[in-house]
C-alpha cells in the first residue's frame, strides 16, 4: 500500500515536493487554504487585466529546466518563455536612467558609458560571480542543511573568505560610481537582506542577473504554477483548495493525521510548505522545535506594500521591469532593517507585464504592479497605503514625464495585514528569512522536525532560502529526505 503524504500549502516548494513524492510512489494530497493553488504566487484577474499577486521575476532558468528534466520534461512543455530586453530599467534621482539589456556585452557597454574603465572591472567581477554560481546552484543549494560539513568541499575551501566579507564590500572595492553600485547591490534584495549583511559569496546573484538574464512566462508567473500543477496531477497528486489545516495530530510523538476544515485526514507523513512558525503553532507547545524568542531574534526579509493598477492607456518611458532608485537607498534600508518604520521616501519597483504580454491587459491599456519593500509587522492601514501610493505615483509621473493618475481605472493593494491573513506569514513577511551569514544553509530551520517523527518542512523559511528557484529546490530536498528516511 502506498504511504500517504499530506502536504500543507501549495506554493512552489510544496508543488515541487508533491511532484517528486508522487513520482517516487507516494500517495500525495495537497491542502491549500485559499481558493486557488500557488501560495504567494497567485493571480488577480479584474476587468480584463491579469496580475501576478506574488513573484513577477523569472530568474535562473536553469533551475526550472533542471526541475522539469527530473520528470523527463522541459519548461516549454508547459509554458512559453521570452527573454526580456531590456531585462529592467533603473531610474535615478538626476533623471537619468540605465537599462540592463539582454547580453553581457551590452551590459559591459552600459557600465563603460556610465564610468570609463568600469567594464573591465565588471568582467572580472562577473567571472568570479559565475564561479560562485556554478558552485552554489549546481551543488551547494541541493544539500539539505543537515550538517555544516555540507559546505566544506575542495572548491568551497578556496571561497571561504567570501563568507566573511560582504557583497557591499566587494562591490565597493571595484566600483565608485553610486549608480553602478546600486545596480550591483540590487540582486541580493531577492535574498532579503542588505548588501552590507549578505556574504560576498552570494555575488552569484549578479551572474543570475547579468549572465542568465530576465525572462517572462507568457501569461505571467502563474503559468509556471499551472504547469507544475499539470505535471503533479499527471503523476497522481490530488489538490484540495479552500482547505484550512487546523491541527497536526500526534500519537507517540509521531504525526499521524491532520485536521482539515474540522475533518481528520489520516497521514503517514506530513509535509508543510506553509509558514514554518505557523505550522509549529498547529502542534502542542512541547512538540515545537523553535520558541517565540527564537523567531523574534531572526532576521526576516522584508514585507511589501503592493498595488495592482489598471491604467486606461499605454504608459511611455517605462520597461516591463522598472526600478526607481531616485531616493536614498541607505535611508530606506535603515527603515526596513535597522529602525523598522514606514520609510519617508521609499525606493520602489514597478512591473508593466502588458509591455511584453498582450494577454495581461485589454488593448490600449496597461497593467501595472508596484512594490515598496517594508519592514515586517508595521502598522498597516488604508490611509497609509493611500499615502504611499500617492508618493510613488507622483514620482512615476515626474520621472517618466507623463500624467497617469487620471488614467487609473482601479487599484487593489496588498500589504502586511494581507500577508498575515492570506498566508499566515510570520509578522507579515513577504520573502522568509534573510540569507545572512548566520542564517545560511545548516543554520536555517530544519527540513525535518527534531521533535515529531514523520513531520517535515519546506519553503522559504528553510533551506536553501527565499525566492522561486530556491523554493523549487527546497521541495526537492524535502522530498528526498522523506524518501531516504525509514518512515
Amino acid at each position: 500500500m502506498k504511504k500517504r503524504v499530506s502536504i500543507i500549502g501549495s506554493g512552489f516548494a510544496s508543488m515541487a515536493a508533491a511532484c517528486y513524492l508522487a513520482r517516487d510512489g507516494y500517495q500525495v494530497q495537497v491542502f491549500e487554504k485559499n481558493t486557488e493553488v500557488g501560495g504567494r504566487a497567485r493571480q488577480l484577474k479584474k476587468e480584463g487585466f491579469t496580475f501576478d499577486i506574488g513573484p513577477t521575476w523569472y530568474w535562473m532558468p536553469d533551475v526550472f529546466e533542471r526541475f522539469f528534466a527530473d520528470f523527463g520534461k522541459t519548461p516549454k512543455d508547459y509554458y512559453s518563455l521570452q527573454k526580456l530586453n531590456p531585462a529592467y530599467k533603473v531610474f535615478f534621482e538626476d533623471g537619468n536612467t540605465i537599462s540592463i539589456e539582454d547580453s553581457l556585452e551590452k551590459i559591459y557597454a552600459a557600465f563603460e558609458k556610465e564610468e570609463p574603465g568600469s567594464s573591465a572591472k565588471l568582467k572580472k567581477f562577473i567571472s568570479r560571480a559565475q564561479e560562485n554560481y556554478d558552485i552554489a546552484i549546481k551543488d551547494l543549494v541541493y544539500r539539505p542543511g543537515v550538517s555544516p560539513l555540507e559546505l566544506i568541499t575542495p572548491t568551497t575551501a578556496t571561497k571561504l573568505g567570501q563568507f566573511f566579507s560582504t557583497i557591499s564590500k566587494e562591490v565597493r572595492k571595484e566600483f565608485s560610481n553610486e549608480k553602478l553600485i546600486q545596480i550591483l547591490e540590487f540582486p541580493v534584495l531577492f535574498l532579503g537582506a542588505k548588501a552590507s549583511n549578505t556574504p560576498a559569496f552570494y555575488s552569484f546573484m549578479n551572474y543570475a542577473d547579468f549572465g542568465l538574464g530576465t525572462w517572462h512566462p507568457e501569461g505571467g508567473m502563474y503559468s509556471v504554477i499551472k504547469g507544475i500543477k499539470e505535471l503533479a496531477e499527471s503523476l497522481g497528486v490530488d489538490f484540495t483548495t479552500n482547505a484550512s489545516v487546523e491541527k497536526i495530530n500526534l500519537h507517540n510523538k509521531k504525526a499521524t493525521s491532520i485536521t482539515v476544515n474540522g475533518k481528520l485526514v489520516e497521514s503517514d507523513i506530513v509535509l508543510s510548505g506553509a509558514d514554518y512558525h505557523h505550522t509549529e503553532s498547529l502542534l502542542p507547545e512541547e512538540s515545537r522545535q523553535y520558541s517565540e524568542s527564537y523567531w523574534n531574534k531572526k532576521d526576516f526579509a522584508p514585507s511589501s506594500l503592493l498595488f495592482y493598477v489598471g491604467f486606461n492607456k499605454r504608459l511611455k518611458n517605462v520597461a516591463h521591469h522598472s526600478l526607481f532608485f531616485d531616493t536614498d537607498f541607505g535611508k530606506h534600508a535603515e527603515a526596513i532593517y535597522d529602525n523598522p518604520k514606514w520609510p519617508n521616501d521609499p525606493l520602489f519597483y514597478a512591473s508593466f507585464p502588458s509591455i511584453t504580454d498582450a494577454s495581461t491587459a485589454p488593448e490600449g491599456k496597461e497593467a501595472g504592479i508596484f512594490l515598496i519593500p517594508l519592514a515586517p509587522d508595521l502598522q498597516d492601514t488604508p490611509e497609509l497605503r493611500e499615502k504611499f501610493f500617492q508618493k510613488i505615483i507622483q514620482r512615476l509621473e515626474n520621472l517618466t514625464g507623463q500624467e497617469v493618475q487620471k488614467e487609473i481605472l482601479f487599484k487593489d493593494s496588498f500589504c502586511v495585514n494581507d500577508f498575515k491573513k492570506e498566508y499566515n506569514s510570520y509578522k507579515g513577511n513577504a520573502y522568509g528569512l534573510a540569507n545572512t551569514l548566520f542564517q545560511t544553509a545548516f543554520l536555517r530551520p530544519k527540513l525535518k522536525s527534531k521533535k515529531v517523527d514523520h513531520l517535515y518542512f519546506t519553503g522559504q523559511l528553510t533551506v536553501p532560502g527565499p525566492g522561486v528557484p530556491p523554493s523549487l529546490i527546497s521541495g526537492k530536498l524535502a522530498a528526498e529526505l522523506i524518501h531516504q528516511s525509514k518512515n
Side-chain angles (χ1 to χ4, degrees), residues 247-268:
K247 190 179 179 186
I248 299 170
N249 304 299
L250 311 181
H251 180 69
N252 292 335
K253 297 183 179 180
K254 181 190 297 183
T256 55
S257 65
I258 57 175
T259 303
V260 184
N261 295 342
K263 296 181 180 178
L264 209 66
V265 177
E266 299 288 343
S267 314
D268 297 301

Side-chain angles (χ1 to χ4, degrees), residues 226-244:
K226 289 194 287 188
I228 298 174
K229 181 172 186 275
E230 183 183 336
L231 170 63
E233 288 178 330
S234 75
L235 295 164
V237 176
D238 181 60
F239 290 90
T240 306
T241 54
N242 298 307
S244 181

Side-chain angles (χ1 to χ4, degrees), residues 454-471:
H454 299 190
L455 175 60
Y456 296 81
F457 300 83
T458 189
Q460 59 187 11
L461 285 171
T462 185
V463 292
V468 174
S471 291

Side-chain angles (χ1 to χ4, degrees), residues 108 111-112 114-123 175 180:
Y108 295 147
F111 269 56
E112 190 66 25
E114 183 64 32
E115 181 185 335
S118 63
S119 61
K121 295 175 184 177
L122 182 60
K123 285 176 185 176
F175 301 91
L180 302 184

Side-chain angles (χ1 to χ4, degrees), residues 326-342:
D326 55 309
T327 60
D328 189 322
F329 176 78
K331 288 181 180 175
H332 188 168
E334 185 181 322
I336 297 173
Y337 300 105
D338 304 326
N339 181 25
K341 62 182 179 181
W342 282 84

Side-chain angles (χ1 to χ4, degrees), residues 98-264:
I98 295 177
S99 288
I100 299 301
E101 296 192 64
D102 61 349
S103 74
L104 280 170
E105 289 308 317
K106 292 176 185 175
I107 297 167
Y108 295 147
F111 269 56
E112 190 66 25
K113 183 180 176 183
E114 183 64 32
E115 181 185 335
S118 63
S119 61
K121 295 175 184 177
L122 182 60
K123 285 176 185 176
K124 290 178 183 176
F125 183 83
I126 292 299
S127 177
R128 292 194 298 271
Q130 184 174 2
E131 287 177 11
N132 290 351
Y133 190 89
D134 289 342
I135 295 167
I137 304 304
K138 294 178 181 176
D139 185 9
L140 288 186
V141 296
Y142 285 91
R143 300 184 181 203
V146 173
S147 162
L149 296 177
E150 293 173 4
L151 293 178
I152 302 169
T153 70
T155 315
T156 56
T158 66
K159 301 281 184 179
L160 197 58
Q162 291 192 41
F163 285 95
F164 296 97
S165 183
T166 67
I167 290 284
S168 186
K169 282 181 185 174
E170 296 305 307
V171 167
R172 289 165 191 272
K173 274 182 195 174
E174 301 290 344
F175 301 91
S176 56
N177 182 291
E178 277 299 322
K179 292 177 184 175
L180 302 184
I181 288 170
Q182 283 187 306
I183 289 171
L184 288 167
E185 290 185 348
F186 150 68
V188 300
L189 294 178
F190 287 97
L191 302 172
K194 289 194 296 185
S196 58
N197 285 340
T198 302
F201 182 74
Y202 284 101
S203 68
F204 66 75
M205 292 295 290
N206 294 103
Y207 178 71
D209 178 2
F210 291 177
L212 299 177
T214 302
W215 300 73
H216 175 73
E218 186 179 343
M221 287 294 287
Y222 199 69
S223 296
V224 186
I225 286 289
K226 289 194 287 188
I228 298 174
K229 181 172 186 275
E230 183 183 336
L231 170 63
E233 288 178 330
S234 75
L235 295 164
V237 176
D238 181 60
F239 290 90
T240 306
T241 54
N242 298 307
S244 181
V245 177
E246 296 149 353
K247 190 179 179 186
I248 299 170
N249 304 299
L250 311 181
H251 180 69
N252 292 335
K253 297 183 179 180
K254 181 190 297 183
T256 55
S257 65
I258 57 175
T259 303
V260 184
N261 295 342
K263 296 181 180 178
L264 209 66

Side-chain angles (χ1 to χ4, degrees), residues 30-45:
V30 177
F31 298 92
E32 168 57 54
K33 73 182 282 288
N34 291 311
T35 55
E36 63 278 313
V37 301
R40 283 164 163 79
R42 293 187 296 155
Q43 206 168 51
L44 168 67
K45 288 181 178 285

